[in-house]
């Protein structure tokens, strides 16, 4: 290639690369603004889920299916998940996040394990349902990766890395967001080991979850273990 042609090629790259970055940033700001507007109206949500945990060292997938619900209570978020099957076998378990604690209930063992969840749990919970664009931008470095249709919904694909340093178990998280409702239809968490976890949500219903959904129904004689 002649020198003049090379110069023209480099000139085109220098001109259009900043323009592309500006366009991506404009789309990202639009998505975040839509999330802000939808988040202000969010009260609760419930959905069906499929969780796929991939373990790289043995190249295996573990699938869990069930239902999940979220609700906003003041400035906090509560979550309850009812796991019904694991790898298509009945495997009932309940997970409740409430008041800064994580409860893990195994009906078959009649055991409830309670953990102090720490300060960072809610920033992960609101990645899925009800989180605002402002909160997202405050805690994460966001890369806009375009749009993708999931279950006939046009979603914004956002790749997130945490702003706060620390011993994070993951390298980055990708979310597919329906910004107009402040919900994500899909999430994928990537770990340095090569493992990853995907969550896909369907049959989503907004603002109809009763408060009673966020109370675990324990069988008589259940043992409570606090760690």
């Amino acid at each position: 290639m002649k020198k003049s042609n090379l110069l023209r090629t480099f000139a085109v790259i220098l001109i259009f690369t900043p323009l592309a970055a500006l366009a991506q940033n404009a789309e990202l700001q639009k998505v975040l603004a839509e999330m802000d507007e939808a988040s202000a109206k969010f009260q609760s949500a419930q959905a069906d889920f499929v969780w796929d945990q991939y373990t790289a060292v043995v190249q295996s997938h573990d699938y869990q299916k069930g239902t999940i619900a979220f609700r906003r209570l003041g400035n906090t978020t509560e979550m309850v998940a009812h796991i019904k099957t694991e790898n298509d076998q009945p495997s009932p378990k309940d997970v409740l996040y409430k008041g800064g604690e994580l409860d893990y209930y195994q009906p078959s063992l009649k055991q409830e394990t309670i953990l102090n969840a720490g300060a960072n749990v809610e920033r992960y919970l609101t990645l899925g349902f009800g989180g605002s664009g402002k909160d997202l931008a405050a805690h994460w470095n966001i890369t806009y990766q375009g749009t993708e249709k999931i279950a006939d919904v046009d979603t914004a694909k956002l790749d997130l890395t945490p702003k706060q340093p620390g011993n994070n178990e993951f390298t980055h998280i990708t979310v597919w967001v329906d910004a107009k409702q402040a919900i994500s239809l899909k999430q994928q968490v990537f770990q340095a080991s090569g493992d990853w976890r995907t969550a896909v949500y369907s049959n989503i219903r907004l603002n109809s979850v009763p408060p009673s959904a966020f109370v675990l129904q324990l069988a008589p004689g259940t043992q409570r273990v606090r760690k």
Side-chain angles (χ1 to χ4, degrees):
M1 185 180 291
K2 295 182 179 179
K3 182 177 180 180
S4 59
N5 290 337
L6 282 172
L7 290 174
R8 281 196 294 270
T9 299
F10 286 137
V12 169
I13 292 173
L14 290 172
I15 290 170
F16 283 102
T17 297
L19 289 178
L22 287 172
Q24 286 186 341
N25 184 64
E27 288 297 322
L28 174 58
Q29 295 309 313
K30 178 183 176 182
V31 169
L32 297 180
E34 289 178 338
M35 290 180 66
D36 285 338
E37 183 176 351
S39 176
K41 303 173 186 176
F42 181 88
Q43 299 173 18
S44 65
Q46 55 189 330
D48 300 331
F49 69 77
V50 178
W51 294 339
D52 175 10
Q53 176 67 57
Y54 174 74
T55 304
V57 67
V58 291
Q59 298 183 359
S60 68
H61 293 263
D62 289 313
Y63 297 95
Q64 293 179 317
K65 297 179 182 179
T67 61
I68 194 167
F70 299 82
R71 76 161 173 165
R72 178 176 294 149
L73 194 63
N75 294 323
T76 65
T77 299
E78 296 180 350
M79 181 277 296
V80 63
H82 302 288
I83 301 167
K84 297 180 179 179
T85 65
E86 187 167 354
N87 296 324
D88 292 326
Q89 299 299 314
S91 182
K93 303 179 189 71
D94 295 332
V95 182
L96 173 68
Y97 172 78
K98 186 176 181 179
E101 292 185 333
L102 197 64
D103 290 11
Y104 181 63
Y105 174 48
Q106 297 168 279
S108 61
L109 300 179
K110 287 191 175 183
Q111 179 170 302
E112 179 192 18
T113 303
I114 303 174
L115 305 170
N116 187 335
N120 294 325
V121 170
E122 290 199 29
R123 77 177 59 173
Y124 301 113
L125 292 182
T126 55
L127 288 179
F129 296 86
S132 69
K134 290 179 181 177
D135 287 341
L136 197 70
H139 298 298
W140 306 88
N141 298 307
I142 309 171
T143 301
Y144 178 76
Q145 296 186 335
T147 61
E148 188 171 322
K149 191 177 288 292
I150 297 179
D152 295 325
V153 177
D154 290 320
T155 66
K157 185 178 179 182
L158 309 177
D159 195 68
L160 313 174
T161 55
K163 285 187 174 181
Q164 292 185 354
N167 296 322
N168 296 303
E169 295 182 358
F170 57 87
T171 56
H172 62 111
I173 300 175
T174 304
V175 294
W176 288 256
V177 178
D178 178 357
K180 294 181 180 179
Q181 298 193 81
I183 59 175
S184 64
L185 276 69
K186 181 179 177 181
Q187 303 167 356
Q188 191 165 21
V189 179
F190 298 89
Q191 297 175 284
S193 62
D195 298 351
W196 48 258
R197 183 184 182 94
T198 300
V200 178
Y201 300 103
S202 61
N203 193 25
I204 299 171
R205 291 86 73 198
L206 294 175
N207 300 333
S208 60
V209 186
S212 59
F214 299 90
V215 178
L216 294 183
Q217 303 300 315
L218 306 181
T222 295
Q223 179 186 11
R224 174 172 287 187
V225 178
R226 187 176 292 273
K227 295 183 177 181

